[in-house]
């Protein structure tokens, strides 16, 4: 079964106004009558209701967008600034590389409700290295050794973090002190010579899917050409390919991936994968004029692609330099 939420994920879309973001529901093709005022940062993760962001000084920040609704009083604890990552990198990295320095990030617990259990893990640099910091416990980041590099995604399940390399080589580990422990190889990868992006999606807070998104480049634009779906067999320590998702829809993104029971939501397509154009390391960084056209809906049964957004919605996304981000919206906003 998929995640038990009361609504499908929605898209945060930057507006033409500085620091203002719209909330768009692709299921109903509707821009909600609510806007958020958010600081100018690159968002590289979303978990437990919080965006994880980074600025040009390599300062990582936790932001709760739902307490920063435009026109309403902002909660003082809606932004939590963490110590900066290693500033030495800023001495020789050019602006575009710094802007995409943190590739992806997640947290293990809500930093307000459970601050002592909140661990922030980031994937950084083009080679996909790992660093973490424990809220209320650490004053500096801990950088994980090179044995865990070239990471493509990271998720938290129960008391463990899982990280995956391109193609599916999966590791798990604990963080109980200022180091990682119980690191183990969980599953070997899927061999392929094709260029791919690898995503992890948690089911039921305890099961794990891997989605391989195979991409190519055509006329200077990136195109997703096919998708592979695998479920982790925890008993046999191997990935098992799936030919159907059943009554489940997946939403993939660099900042956040989630599963939902499609029949719970009007307009949500079962056995389908919604995906957006997100950061791609082989493109060499954050382009100042990105062509973010690689978004769509993949029908698993038909093995076909379709466009999820109306021309008006696509025009809204093309007005901004910021890519859209999936977020799981709390019911009090709806």
């Amino acid at each position: 079964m998929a995640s038990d939420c009361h609504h499908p994920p929605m898209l945060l879309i930057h507006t033409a106004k500085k620091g203002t973001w719209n909330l768009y529901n692709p299921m109903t093709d509707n821009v909600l009558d609510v806007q958020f005022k958010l600081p100018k940062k690159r968002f590289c993760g979303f978990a437990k209701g919080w965006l994880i962001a980074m600025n040009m000084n390599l300062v990582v920040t936790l932001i709760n967008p739902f307490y920063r609704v435009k026109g309403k009083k902002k909660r003082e604890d809606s932004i939590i600034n963490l110590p900066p990552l290693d500033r030495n990198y800023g001495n020789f990295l050019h602006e575009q590389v710094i802007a995409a320095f943190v590739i992806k990030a997640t947290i293990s617990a809500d930093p307000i409700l459970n601050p002592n259990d909140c661990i922030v893990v980031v994937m950084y640099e083009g080679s996909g290295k790992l660093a973490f910091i424990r809220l209320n416990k650490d004053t500096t980041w801990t950088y994980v050794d090179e044995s865990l590099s070239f990471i493509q995604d990271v998720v938290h399940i129960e008391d463990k973090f899982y990280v995956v390399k391109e193609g599916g080589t999966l590791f798990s580990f604990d963080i109980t002190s200022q180091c990682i422990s119980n690191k183990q190889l969980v599953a070997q990868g899927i061999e392929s010579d094709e260029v791919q992006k690898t995503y992890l999606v948690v089911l039921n807070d305890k099961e794990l899917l891997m989605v391989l998104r195979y991409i190519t480049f055509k006329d200077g634009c990136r195109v997703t050409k096919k998708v592979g779906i695998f479920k982790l067999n925890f008993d046999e320590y191997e990935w098992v390919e799936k030919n159907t998702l059943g009554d489940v829809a997946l939403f993939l993104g660099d900042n956040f991936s989630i599963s939902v029971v499609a029949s719970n939501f009007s307009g949500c397509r079962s056995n389908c994968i919604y995906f957006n154009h997100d950061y791609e390391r082989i493109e060499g960084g954050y382009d100042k004029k990105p062509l973010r056209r690689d978004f769509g809906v993949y029908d698993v049964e038909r093995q076909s692609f379709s466009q999820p957004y109306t021309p008006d919605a696509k025009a809204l996304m093309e007005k901004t330099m910021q890519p859209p981000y999936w977020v799981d919206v709390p019911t009090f906003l709806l």
Side-chain angles (χ1 to χ4, degrees), residues 74-313:
K74 301 175 181 63
R75 281 181 46 163
E76 292 183 1
D77 58 2
S78 63
I79 291 185
I80 301 172
N81 288 313
L82 303 174
L85 291 158
D86 191 343
R87 289 182 180 271
N88 291 330
Y89 285 103
N91 295 333
F92 61 88
L93 295 180
H94 59 77
E95 181 178 326
Q96 290 184 40
V97 176
I98 292 176
F101 185 71
V102 174
I103 304 164
K104 201 162 189 174
T106 192
I107 59 176
S108 59
D110 187 298
I112 299 299
L113 299 178
N114 299 290
N116 291 328
D117 297 322
C118 182
I119 303 170
V120 184
V121 175
V122 301
M123 293 163 38
Y124 69 95
E125 208 178 58
S127 56
K129 300 174 184 176
L130 288 179
F132 69 85
I133 191 167
R134 299 174 301 157
L135 210 65
N136 291 355
K137 297 177 182 179
D138 301 333
T139 57
T140 60
W141 290 86
T142 297
Y143 299 88
V144 179
D145 63 81
E146 295 290 328
S147 65
L148 285 178
S149 60
F150 298 99
I151 300 301
Q152 293 245 326
D153 206 352
V154 54
V155 296
H156 183 260
I157 304 178
E158 296 180 332
D159 59 346
K160 291 182 180 293
F161 286 92
Y162 290 82
V163 295
V164 67
K165 298 189 177 188
E166 180 177 342
T169 302
L170 184 75
F171 292 88
S172 68
F173 57 88
D174 300 331
I175 297 175
T176 55
S177 61
Q178 214 162 355
C179 65
I180 67 171
S181 60
N182 298 324
K183 182 182 74 175
Q184 63 175 334
L185 174 66
V186 178
Q188 296 286 354
I190 311 298
E191 292 188 9
S192 174
D193 295 328
E194 298 180 275
V195 178
Q196 60 192 243
K197 291 201 69 172
T198 307
Y199 302 83
L200 295 177
V201 188
V202 180
L203 308 177
N204 276 338
D205 295 325
K206 60 184 178 181
E207 297 180 289
L208 195 59
L209 285 183
M210 175 179 68
V211 180
L212 300 183
R213 179 174 167 183
Y214 297 91
I215 60 177
T216 187
F217 292 87
K218 184 178 181 180
D219 299 328
C221 298
R222 195 183 79 189
V223 178
T224 298
K225 60 180 182 178
K226 64 177 181 178
V227 177
I229 307 167
F230 301 84
K231 184 177 180 180
L232 181 64
N233 183 324
F234 280 95
D235 295 326
E236 301 295 332
Y237 296 101
E238 64 180 7
W239 293 113
V240 179
E241 189 165 12
K242 291 177 62 68
N243 297 317
T244 181
L245 291 171
D247 188 23
V248 169
L250 304 183
F251 295 78
L252 298 186
D254 250 355
N255 73 307
F256 178 55
S257 296
I258 191 173
S259 64
V260 301
V261 177
S263 60
N264 286 347
F265 313 111
S266 176
C268 186
R269 296 170 56 181
S270 63
N271 206 18
C272 285
I273 299 173
Y274 293 75
F275 60 90
N276 279 318
H277 191 128
D278 44 32
Y279 172 71
E280 181 53 63
R281 277 170 268 182
I282 65 172
E283 291 177 356
Y286 239 33
D287 192 349
K288 289 186 177 181
K289 294 183 179 180
L291 295 172
R292 298 191 179 96
R293 300 174 181 170
D294 188 20
F295 52 80
V297 179
Y298 176 71
D299 187 305
V300 177
E301 181 179 2
R302 295 181 175 85
Q303 299 183 21
S304 62
F305 294 88
S306 60
Q307 293 297 313
Y309 313 129
T310 63
D312 289 343

Side-chain angles (χ1 to χ4, degrees), residues 12-23 31 34-37 70 315-323:
L12 270 181
I13 303 178
H14 191 249
T15 72
K17 297 180 181 179
K18 183 178 179 181
T20 303
W21 293 74
N22 284 322
L23 194 59
V31 178
V34 60
Q35 288 187 324
F36 306 97
K37 193 69 175 179
K70 189 176 180 181
L316 187 65
M317 287 188 274
E318 290 172 357
K319 288 181 180 179
T320 175
M321 296 299 296
Q322 292 266 31

Side-chain angles (χ1 to χ4, degrees), residues 5-12 22-26 32 34 36 46 49 64-66 69 256 258 325-334:
C5 59
H6 302 289
H7 46 80
M10 299 187 191
L11 283 174
L12 270 181
N22 284 322
L23 194 59
Y24 172 73
N25 185 344
L32 274 66
V34 60
F36 306 97
F46 180 86
N64 191 319
F66 310 117
V69 176
F256 178 55
I258 191 173
Y325 300 97
W326 292 117
V327 292
D328 190 11
V329 184
T331 53
F332 70 79
L333 275 181
L334 303 176

